[in-house]
Amino acid sequence: MQSSASLTISDLWIERGGNDLCKGLSFSIHPGEAWRVLGGNGTGKTSLLKVIAGISMPLEGEIFYLGQNVTSDRSPLQQEMVYLGHLMGVKSALTVEENLRWYCPERSLEELHNVAKDLGLFPFLASLVKTLSAGQQRRVALARLWLSKKTLWLLDEPFASLDVEGGVMLEVCIQQHLTSGGLVLLSTHQSLSSIIPHDVVLQP
Amino acid sequence: MTYRSFLIYEFLVLWRRKQDVFNALLFFIIVVILFPLGVSAEPAFLAQAASGIIWCGVVLSILISIDHMFKEDYQDGSLEQWIVSGLSLPLLMLLKVMANWVVIILPLLIMMPLLSEMLFMPNTSFWALVLTLLVGTPGLFLIGVMGAALTVSVRQGTMLVMLLILPLYLPVLIFATSAVQAAQSGLPYSGFLAMLLALSLMSLVVSPFMTAMAIKASVSG
Amino acid sequence: MSWLWFHKLGSPKWFFFWSKSWALPVFCIGCFGLVVGLVWGLAFAPEDYQQGNSFRIIYIHVPVAMLAQSCYLAMGVAGLIFLVWQMKIAPMFIKAIAPIGAVMALMAMVSGAIWGKPTWGTWWVWDARLTSVLVLFLLFMGVIALQNALEDITLANKAAAIMSVVGLINLPIIKYSVVLWNTLHQGPTFTITKKPEMPAEMWLPLLIAVVGLYCLVAGLLLWRIQSEIILREHRSNWVKQEVMGNGL
């Protein structure tokens, strides 16, 4: 059953500060599918993404990737994964170009410049990230999605502080990723029913 | 992210934040200047106390610079990205310590001839001092980084880091100054150097794993 | 050998009910032993032919010094157990024992200073053993401060465990330092392999005092762990029943 799905969560149980979250949660994400994590504040959307990414450990339950149990060692999953959290992991003391090259040293400079052009970051390639606006910084972080050729995307509120144009670009990018067989799990309050038919609903 | 790109950009960030490094060095110089002014400028006394003064300065400046080693990485989410990078976190920690050690200790060593001259240090013990610094300070960094990782989520953590780390620094400090004093009185000091090396190697084995564990615990909370 | 007891020990509920019946008797035995040892040692044991009556502080100094080290050893082992097996009771143990250990180390230093004045002619000597007790005290304070500074309980547990283990690695260096710097301090009073050089009337009360203090601290520790368990598990049903039924 697990072999057909790429990412399978079974009977997950997370604890945060003494509170039980998403007790007994199970779902599978197949290639080409995107799932949206829904739930009110404090239901554990971020915690769920962090647990899948391997930043924290679940109390109980198992995580399978390509049929392999990765619960205790998440590195096979992590090699195929991009995680974008609330904090973006963008270094403010480095320039935009340096930030992008740090994350994707395997990409050529030309590819990098093309992505920067698409995202409207080209004029700022040489400026320090701390001089950019919050939305622009978010774009620098999102550029990793274009640049890194990873299968699984875990996105925590990726639309936060993006303008309309940026949001549309991200949606298109997610759609392209899905048609090429990628997997996406994201938490957002945006209604994206056109591209994301599946929801994981977390109960308080 | 690869190990290589991580190291290169760590150096780059340190270069952009060179004011922090300067502050640590400046602090070191201030400590060294305070002793002759505050205690005694007698050449005989200073020659005797030089190694202790310099080592105290080194310990203090490492302590104040190591405290904010992870602060920015914690606030901007880099720590999370390192954890999910699929690379070995202990190894990344080791690389980070290495980068910080090079950036802080190399300028210190370059200043050493000048300072030892100011403190009337005899030539015989000068090289012993340089050797103890080379062998001992990696241990100081490796021990200190554990404290920095444990307190990364504490807003005002400098005093806490000092309280946690200073007791663990004492053996290094004692062996290092004993080595220099032995050299000063013409005794062999290789035994003390070996002890220093042992302490550094021991922290090399323990520290990266403990640091990685502390970082993971701090980020997942 | 069955490992059942080990897993049981990890369960706070089981530990709470087990320790409930043990804390008071152990504490009472400890008090009794300490009083007997101290009265015998301070009032009836023969005088030392070199140090006179001032040696009698040994009956306080040696027990607290031994306890300070043992507390750290126990704390470090608990930290290791928590890091390896994630045993739930271990961080509570660390939290309970750290202040006790700090007090013991402080008392060892104070009693040592009081002993040092008539014997060495000075309150404080920078000798290896005194310094290492000071270090021990600072290590205890570090663990306590770390626990207080970290608000997230999971993180505080882990951090205190890591700090205890790292400090434990320091303990052999402390011990080694006694041998390395052969200084003013007299050698260890008790060694397991050799017969004590003192006459029996002198070391027997000391032994009783040491064992008594161990029991006393064990009783205190059990109480402190119990209250820690109630604090942390206050949401679970068995704690509610316990508090409703028997009061605190």
Side-chain angles (χ1 to χ4, degrees):
Chain A
M1 170 229 162
Q2 269 108 27
S3 55
S4 65
S6 278
L7 180 71
T8 300
I9 310 296
S10 88
D11 263 330
L12 205 67
W13 181 7
I14 303 172
E15 195 192 47
R16 186 193 57 202
N19 298 318
D20 295 334
L21 302 170
C22 36
K23 207 166 174 175
L25 183 74
S26 303
F27 62 92
S28 299
I29 307 182
H30 301 267
E33 275 183 6
W35 283 65
R36 182 165 62 146
V37 186
L38 279 181
N41 297 119
T43 47
K45 298 187 292 294
T46 299
S47 299
L48 174 66
L49 288 174
K50 277 189 171 182
V51 164
I52 296 174
I55 293 171
S56 39
M57 282 291 163
L59 206 60
E60 264 169 47
E62 273 156 344
I63 297 166
F64 296 90
Y65 185 66
L66 299 172
Q68 188 187 354
N69 191 337
V70 292
T71 316
S72 52
D73 177 20
R74 222 58 63 78
S75 52
L77 174 71
Q78 283 167 344
Q79 259 129 37
E80 297 289 317
M81 175 188 85
V82 181
Y83 168 81
L84 265 184
H86 280 288
L87 305 168
M88 296 172 288
V90 175
K91 280 258 150 268
S92 59
L94 299 181
T95 66
V96 173
E97 185 176 331
E98 285 160 354
N99 262 297
L100 296 182
R101 286 188 67 187
W102 180 16
Y103 278 94
C104 312
E106 69 277 3
R107 290 275 158 274
S108 71
L109 216 54
E110 201 190 333
E111 284 173 288
L112 205 145
H113 286 180
N114 284 336
V115 170
K117 265 177 207 153
D118 290 346
L119 282 169
L121 289 170
F122 193 69
F124 308 104
L125 270 179
S127 31
L128 296 181
V129 166
K130 64 181 163 202
T131 62
L132 301 183
S133 76
Q136 285 171 318
Q137 291 188 13
R138 173 63 69 170
R139 285 180 184 217
V140 175
L142 286 171
R144 285 177 217 153
L145 299 179
W146 274 261
L147 279 171
S148 61
K149 302 256 179 340
K150 305 284 174 76
T151 339
L152 173 64
W153 291 1
L154 299 176
L155 313 175
D156 195 1
E157 303 279 359
F159 292 96
S161 66
L162 269 189
D163 55 9
V164 180
E165 183 205 14
V168 172
M169 275 198 298
L170 181 56
E171 268 184 66
V172 171
C173 177
I174 290 175
Q175 216 143 22
Q176 278 172 357
H177 183 57
L178 292 177
T179 45
S180 63
L183 290 80
V184 178
L185 180 65
L186 78 165
S187 73
T188 178
H189 295 291
Q190 217 128 356
S191 73
L192 299 161
S193 45
S194 55
I195 56 167
I196 301 181
H198 314 284
D199 286 337
V200 190
V201 181
L202 300 179
Q203 304 294 343
Chain B
M1 204 189 300
T2 59
Y3 293 114
R4 199 165 153 264
S5 72
F6 176 83
L7 190 61
I8 292 172
Y9 286 91
E10 190 59 42
F11 273 118
L12 205 57
V13 169
L14 282 170
W15 174 248
R16 293 275 157 76
R17 297 235 175 277
K18 42 191 173 302
Q19 192 55 48
D20 289 350
V21 178
F22 277 128
N23 286 348
L25 294 178
L26 221 56
F27 183 75
F28 171 70
I29 293 173
I30 289 171
V31 170
V32 170
I33 291 174
L34 272 181
F35 268 90
L37 293 181
V39 187
S40 157
E42 201 64 36
F45 163 76
L46 283 178
Q48 199 62 45
S51 65
I53 296 171
I54 286 177
W55 260 93
C56 285
V58 168
V59 163
L60 287 173
S61 52
I62 288 178
L63 270 177
I64 64 155
S65 63
I66 217 157
D67 161 53
H68 45 247
M69 194 159 153
F70 293 118
K71 279 273 149 61
E72 205 185 289
D73 302 320
Y74 177 74
Q75 277 151 10
D76 69 13
S78 300
L79 292 183
E80 286 183 355
Q81 291 299 331
W82 300 345
I83 293 172
V84 303
S85 64
L87 305 174
S88 141
L89 192 58
L91 199 52
L92 290 181
M93 293 299 111
L94 193 59
L95 289 176
K96 190 170 169 86
V97 170
M98 234 170 69
N100 277 272
W101 181 80
V102 168
V103 167
I104 297 207
I105 295 302
L106 277 190
L108 260 177
L109 286 177
I110 293 170
M111 288 192 308
M112 221 36 87
L114 182 74
L115 290 172
S116 67
E117 206 56 46
M118 282 169 74
L119 295 174
F120 307 104
M121 209 172 177
N123 276 339
T124 43
S125 49
F126 173 72
W127 289 108
L129 176 70
V130 171
L131 274 178
T132 55
L133 283 175
L134 275 176
V135 175
T137 48
L140 293 187
F141 267 88
L142 286 165
I143 295 169
V145 82
M146 291 191 279
L150 284 172
T151 56
V152 74
S153 61
V154 181
R155 214 168 279 274
Q156 297 290 334
T158 315
M159 271 319 290
L160 188 57
V161 172
M162 292 220 177
L163 179 61
L164 292 179
I165 292 310
L166 211 59
L168 305 177
Y169 273 3
L170 284 188
V172 179
L173 194 65
I174 287 169
F175 285 123
T177 46
S178 306
V180 183
Q181 265 154 19
Q184 211 146 351
S185 39
L187 298 168
Y189 57 91
S190 54
F192 292 116
L193 272 188
M195 281 306 295
L196 272 184
L197 189 65
L199 287 176
S200 286
L201 287 177
M202 204 167 76
S203 31
L204 181 68
V205 174
V206 175
S207 163
F209 296 99
M210 292 291 183
T211 308
M213 209 188 281
I215 289 284
K216 269 194 174 171
S218 301
V219 171
S220 68
Chain C
M1 195 177 76
S2 157
W3 281 92
L4 190 66
W5 64 271
F6 192 74
H7 293 291
K8 267 189 180 168
L9 211 59
S11 142
K13 184 183 173 187
W14 185 87
F15 188 89
F16 184 84
F17 287 110
W18 175 82
S19 62
K20 230 177 124 183
S21 50
W22 277 96
L24 190 64
V26 169
F27 183 76
C28 289
I29 292 173
C31 283
F32 182 71
L34 194 63
V35 168
V36 168
L38 284 183
V39 170
W40 187 357
L42 293 181
F44 300 108
E47 231 176 72
D48 187 83
Y49 75 98
Q50 266 182 333
Q51 299 183 9
N53 270 326
S54 67
F55 99 99
R56 288 184 196 277
I57 201 163
I58 201 173
Y59 297 105
I60 296 168
H61 178 70
V62 170
V64 289
M66 285 175 82
L67 247 299
Q69 291 178 20
S70 301
C71 281
Y72 204 91
L73 185 67
M75 191 167 83
V77 171
L80 202 63
I81 287 176
F82 183 66
L83 293 185
V84 178
W85 290 289
Q86 318 280 318
M87 197 192 254
K88 240 179 152 179
I89 203 89
M92 305 189 199
F93 181 84
I94 294 176
K95 185 148 194 214
I97 203 170
I100 298 180
V103 169
M104 290 299 151
L106 192 65
M107 278 168 67
M109 274 190 292
V110 171
S111 60
I114 295 174
W115 193 5
K117 186 66 186 168
T119 327
W120 299 333
T122 164
W123 295 106
W124 179 263
V125 180
W126 283 101
D127 121 292
R129 202 102 77 95
L130 284 180
T131 315
S132 56
V133 174
L134 179 63
V135 171
L136 202 61
F137 175 70
L138 288 177
L139 285 172
F140 277 121
M141 292 313 281
V143 171
I144 296 170
L146 191 61
Q147 269 172 336
N148 288 339
L150 298 171
E151 278 145 21
D152 184 78
I153 190 113
T154 331
L155 173 58
N157 286 347
K158 198 103 180 225
I162 291 175
M163 199 54 220
S164 319
V165 171
V166 169
L168 185 65
I169 300 170
N170 212 42
L171 262 188
I173 302 175
I174 293 173
K175 278 284 168 199
Y176 175 68
S177 63
V178 184
V179 186
L180 189 77
W181 295 289
N182 194 10
T183 54
L184 290 169
H185 202 292
Q186 61 187 54
T189 309
F190 278 139
T191 49
I192 300 171
T193 45
K194 265 197 301 193
K195 232 181 135 214
E197 283 167 21
M198 294 189 227
E201 309 87 81
M202 271 166 100
W203 64 256
L204 204 61
L206 183 55
L207 188 65
I208 295 173
V210 167
V211 174
L213 191 61
Y214 265 101
C215 291
L216 191 148
V217 165
L220 266 183
L221 196 60
L222 290 179
W223 272 324
R224 285 182 59 87
I225 296 176
Q226 281 174 21
S227 58
E228 193 61 34
I229 289 175
I230 289 191
L231 256 178
R232 293 196 187 188
E233 307 269 313
H234 67 276
R235 248 183 284 237
S236 61
N237 282 326
W238 70 266
V239 171
K240 281 178 193 155
Q241 279 171 10
E242 179 68 21
V243 175
M244 299 296 245
N246 303 335
L248 278 173

